[in-house]
Amino acid sequence: MKELDVSVGLTGTVFAAFELACFIFMPLLQAKMHQCSISPQTLFHLGIFTTSTTGILFAFLGYVNDWSYFFGFSILIRFIEGIGQAAFITASFAIIALEFPTAVSSAFVTLETFFGLGLIFGGPIGGALWDAYLTPARFTLVYGVLSGCSFIVAIIGVLFLPQCRGDHTHELPRNGFTSGFKVFSLLKVPSVPLIGFAVLSTAVSIGYLYSTLSPHLAEFGLHPVFLGGIFLLNGGTATLTAPLFSKLIDLTHMSKLMMIFGSLLIFIGFLLIGPASFIPLESSPWLTSIGLFVQGLGVGALCASTFKLMLYQAVKFGCADNIKTYWLVSSLWTLLFCLGTLIGTISSGFLYDYVGFRSGSWIVLDFQILVVVFTLGSIASTEIIKSQSSPKHSLYTAIDTESEPLLGGSRNSEFSGFQQSKPRIRVLSEPSLILESKISPRKNYGGIEDNNGDMVDERQST
């Protein structure tokens, strides 16, 4: 678009069209699948064929010389590609949940790992292809080769992807058309709005770079391959470190503190990427690279902590402890991430045109400040409630909820809604022990919520 003199704001609109389509069509496609009008495998094939085909069509836009036609077709093709992506993601969630009902978490981690590998290798490969030919042939080459590979994968999927073993569609939530939108009911669960805002803020930091990082780096005159390497820093770092942060959360039981830590890392990263307008430093490739690496660490910490905490809160406050809840939490997390990316992408382009990259990055800094403030407020309110319920600091109130083991209970259990279970109040007097922060495969979830929102055993010394 640079050769056609299209502004960064309009470039951001093209990126935003993709995220908008994902945000709109994911719940719609979920509803269709839950009505059994389309199977997960069929939706998967349609999605990947749509994304690969539109990618190939996008490749030939390099030969369009009129910027208005180029912009219009770019919006249209990217929007259709977003619909295909929504279908692909929705079907992938369903297939994983149905094929691996007792190991959903591990299956999702594997899926995200390969997604991260794509981010790591995609940048340098795209940069090398871009440097191979002159415009417009290089534009066609980059998108044509990568989208052609996706098309080949789509054909392989049709030939070798098996049908789900048995009829497990009853395990997914089905309430007609509304099932696709029922994910938003999770926002009624305490702490989930805060967690959702943290997810959205994380995605805003990623979306901000979609349309602005390339023109920001253009002033350095770097080789395309080196540029591709810089582009992979934040995404690759986030993908590789998220499992490590997840393990750390399991050991330390500090999900909310990890959210604060992640937001601070993103804040520091964006101070360096520009750098921020109030920092008396000149922009440089190395400073930007360090900032992207730190931001990637923050994204990994927030992704790991927000998903774990959202799933725990949903089960704690009355959701059925099974695949259906995992499905709804995954869907809500993904929708909020798409919304945040949409906000970051469309706002960053116009901010870049009017105030520049360095001043425009304040939108990301403000979001991270709000996450830190709201999370600290949540921790403080939890401490106040705990102190009021145990004025002698030796007695604690435990709330037990009976539910089945997460992703390992009855395969036919129904989604129980979001009504909080009736609490049983007991005075505790045994030495306290910290349990695993992840949802434990035991029926007893008795315990108190510590100041980080994690489960603490109901036993406390007198």
Side-chain angles (χ1 to χ4, degrees):
M1 286 193 182
K2 181 178 179 181
E3 288 80 2
L4 296 176
D5 196 25
V6 178
S7 68
V8 178
L10 294 181
T11 304
T13 305
V14 174
F15 283 103
F18 179 88
E19 302 297 336
L20 178 63
C22 289
F23 182 76
I24 293 175
F25 281 90
M26 277 189 65
L28 293 175
L29 293 171
Q30 288 171 6
K32 283 295 182 181
M33 190 168 57
H34 297 154
Q35 290 173 339
C36 290
S37 57
I38 185 170
S39 67
Q41 285 77 11
T42 301
L43 191 61
F44 177 88
H45 297 319
L46 290 175
I48 194 169
F49 270 113
T50 300
T51 55
S52 58
T53 303
T54 51
I56 293 174
L57 291 176
F58 195 83
F60 289 96
L61 289 181
Y63 294 96
V64 178
N65 296 320
D66 186 278
W67 79 266
S68 59
Y69 284 106
F70 183 92
F71 177 71
F73 281 118
S74 296
I75 290 284
L76 177 62
I77 292 175
R78 288 288 290 175
F79 189 85
I80 298 174
E81 185 179 0
I83 298 175
Q85 181 77 354
F88 171 76
I89 293 176
T90 301
S92 298
F93 282 2
I95 292 172
I96 286 177
L98 297 177
E99 283 292 312
F100 308 98
T102 59
V104 180
S105 298
S106 299
F108 269 103
V109 168
T110 303
L111 180 67
E112 292 299 323
T113 299
F114 279 96
F115 178 77
L117 291 175
L119 291 176
I120 292 173
F121 293 107
I125 293 175
L129 292 174
W130 184 266
D131 192 49
Y133 292 94
L134 298 178
T135 305
R138 62 183 181 184
F139 186 91
T140 303
L141 181 66
V142 171
Y143 287 97
V145 169
L146 298 180
S147 299
C149 292
S150 297
F151 192 83
I152 294 174
V153 171
I155 296 175
I156 294 174
V158 172
L159 296 176
F160 297 103
L161 182 66
Q163 295 291 321
C164 287
R165 292 169 295 183
D167 182 13
H168 304 310
T169 54
H170 62 276
E171 297 179 8
L172 299 179
R174 58 172 75 240
N175 289 310
F177 178 78
T178 60
S179 61
F181 295 91
K182 193 172 183 178
V183 294
F184 295 105
S185 300
L186 280 170
L187 295 174
K188 300 177 183 178
V189 177
S191 293
V192 169
L194 167 63
I195 303 167
F197 182 76
V199 175
L200 185 142
S201 302
T202 305
V204 168
S205 73
I206 295 175
Y208 184 88
L209 298 174
Y210 276 0
S211 57
T212 59
L213 184 59
S214 179
H216 176 63
L217 294 174
E219 63 183 80
F220 304 132
L222 301 175
H223 190 276
V225 176
F226 189 66
L227 280 175
I230 292 179
F231 271 95
L232 69 85
L233 279 173
N234 57 346
T237 302
T239 302
L240 295 176
T241 58
L244 301 178
F245 284 119
S246 180
K247 292 294 184 181
L248 184 61
I249 293 171
D250 291 340
L251 295 174
T252 61
H253 321 287
M254 295 182 178
S255 298
K256 287 186 177 179
L257 289 182
M258 186 64 73
M259 285 171 54
I260 295 175
F261 178 67
S263 292
L264 291 176
L265 285 176
I266 294 178
F267 185 91
I268 295 172
F270 266 84
L271 290 180
L272 301 176
I273 293 174
S277 56
F278 59 87
I279 295 181
L281 294 175
E282 294 295 328
S283 300
S284 69
W286 295 110
L287 193 62
T288 300
S289 299
I290 295 173
L292 289 171
F293 175 77
V294 174
Q295 185 229 359
L297 291 175
V299 171
L302 274 165
C303 287
S305 58
T306 52
F307 188 85
K308 278 180 173 289
L309 194 54
M310 187 180 292
L311 182 60
Y312 165 72
Q313 292 291 333
V315 173
K316 175 186 174 183
F317 284 90
C319 295
D321 200 0
N322 53 24
I323 293 176
K324 298 178 183 180
T325 299
Y326 197 103
W327 166 276
L328 291 173
V329 170
S330 300
S331 299
L332 177 62
W333 196 97
T334 305
L335 284 172
L336 290 173
F337 199 90
C338 289
L339 179 60
T341 307
L342 171 64
I343 295 172
T345 302
I346 200 168
S347 61
S348 63
F350 292 104
L351 286 172
Y352 186 94
D353 288 337
Y354 286 100
V355 298
F357 185 96
R358 300 180 66 170
S359 298
S361 61
W362 266 107
I363 185 175
V364 178
L365 300 178
D366 290 340
F367 267 102
Q368 304 314 313
I369 291 172
L370 289 176
V371 171
V372 172
V373 171
F374 291 157
T375 307
L376 287 174
S378 176
I379 294 175
S381 63
T382 302
E383 283 293 318
I384 294 174
I385 294 174
K386 187 169 66 174
S387 63
Q388 290 177 347
S389 62
S390 55
K392 295 182 180 180
H393 301 286
S394 59
L395 302 176
Y396 285 85
T397 299
I399 300 179
D400 288 352
T401 57
E402 297 295 335
S403 57
E404 298 172 356
L406 184 66
L407 309 181
S410 173
R411 297 171 66 92
N412 297 318
S413 57
E414 294 298 325
F415 179 70
S416 63
F418 300 99
Q419 298 297 324
Q420 186 175 357
S421 304
K422 182 177 179 181
R424 297 203 305 268
I425 309 300
R426 298 185 297 179
V427 176
L428 309 172
S429 59
E430 297 180 28
S432 63
L433 295 173
I434 301 222
L435 299 180
E436 297 177 10
S437 65
K438 61 184 178 181
I439 304 300
S440 173
R442 292 186 291 271
K443 288 191 176 182
N444 182 12
Y445 285 88
I448 62 170
E449 180 180 355
D450 68 1
N451 62 329
N452 298 308
D454 294 308
M455 179 66 73
V456 176
D457 195 287
E458 57 190 33
R459 294 169 290 181
Q460 174 67 26
S461 60
T462 57

